[in-house]
Amino acid sequence: ITGTLTQENLITIFRIYIPKKFKVTRPVTSAPPPINAPGQTRRPSLPAAPAKQLSMDDVKVPEQDGPVDPFKPPDHPSYSAVSRGVLRVNEDGSHTCQGKWAMTREHFSGPSQSNFNFRLEPHFAEEAMKQNGGRHFPLDSDMYKGSFQLKKQGSRYQTIVDNQVVMKFRENTAGSFNVYGKGVNS
C-alpha cells in the first residue's frame, strides 16, 4: 500500500496484491469423540479473534528527518487497485474512511468502481495516539480493519474483509502526508 492523504483528508491508496502461498499439510487423525462424551472436552475449531499477522516493523518508510518528498503515483501496470475516500475522526475517537476503489484511475469515471472502507476502533486509536508522539491525526497503527466490495456478474457483489491493515503516515514537503502500509485480507 502506498498513497497520499491531502490537507482535505482525501486519501488515495494504491494497492499491490501479492497472492497468498498456502502450505497444505493435513495429518490423518482418528475421528473425534462424541460431542457429549463424559470427561471429554472439545476445543473450538477456530480462534475467537484472529491473531495479528503484521506488525508496524513490516511497513518500511523513508528514514529521514523532516518532511519527505511527495509520493508520485505509480504507472499503470505496477499496481493492482486504487482506492479514494475521506479519512476522518469520529466523535467516539475512531478513525474511519469510506470511498470507492477501482482497478485503475480511469475506472473511477464509469461503473467499474465499488465501495471500500477501513476503520481504527476507538481503543486502538487511543493506544496509537500514545505511540504517535501525541499526533491525533492521521494515526500510524497496525490495527486498522476494513472491507471492499468485489463486483461479480451483473449487479452482484462479494465483500472481501481486510482482517488487518498496517498504515504509517509521513508528512511530505507538499504539506500533506504520504501513506505506507501492508494488509491481509480473507
Side-chain angles (χ1 to χ4, degrees), residues 122-151:
H123 55 285
F124 293 130
E126 188 177 324
E127 205 174 283
M129 273 191 268
K130 293 174 188 171
Q131 296 172 357
N132 279 259
R135 185 177 78 200
H136 294 165
F137 184 84
L139 292 175
D140 296 356
S141 177
D142 59 0
M143 297 304 294
Y144 285 96
K145 294 180 184 195
S147 65
F148 60 94
Q149 302 262 299
L150 187 61
K151 193 168 188 173

Side-chain angles (χ1 to χ4, degrees), residues 32-49:
I35 292 176
N36 295 324
Q40 296 288 325
T41 59
R42 293 192 62 150
R43 293 178 295 163
S45 57
L46 295 173

Side-chain angles (χ1 to χ4, degrees), residues 30-96:
S30 61
I35 292 176
N36 295 324
Q40 296 288 325
T41 59
R42 293 192 62 150
R43 293 178 295 163
S45 57
L46 295 173
K52 276 186 8 178
Q53 297 177 348
L54 299 170
S55 73
M56 295 297 282
D57 294 336
D58 290 318
V59 176
K60 305 298 180 217
V61 297
E63 297 279 334
Q64 71 181 56
D65 292 331
V68 296
D69 290 333
F71 173 73
K72 180 181 176 266
D75 294 329
H76 281 294
S78 65
Y79 65 92
S80 302
V82 60
S83 305
R84 287 187 189 137
V86 177
L87 181 61
R88 59 177 52 102
V89 180
N90 300 312
E91 287 182 20
D92 65 357
S94 64
H95 288 57
T96 58

Side-chain angles (χ1 to χ4, degrees), residues 19 67 95 146 155 171 177 182:
H95 288 57
S155 61
E171 193 170 351
F177 289 86
K182 283 190 177 186

Side-chain angles (χ1 to χ4, degrees), residues 111-130:
S112 299
Q113 56 186 344
S114 299
N115 294 328
F116 86 95
N117 67 74
F118 63 84
R119 177 179 178 90
L120 182 63
E121 296 294 334
H123 55 285
F124 293 130
E126 188 177 324
E127 205 174 283
M129 273 191 268
K130 293 174 188 171

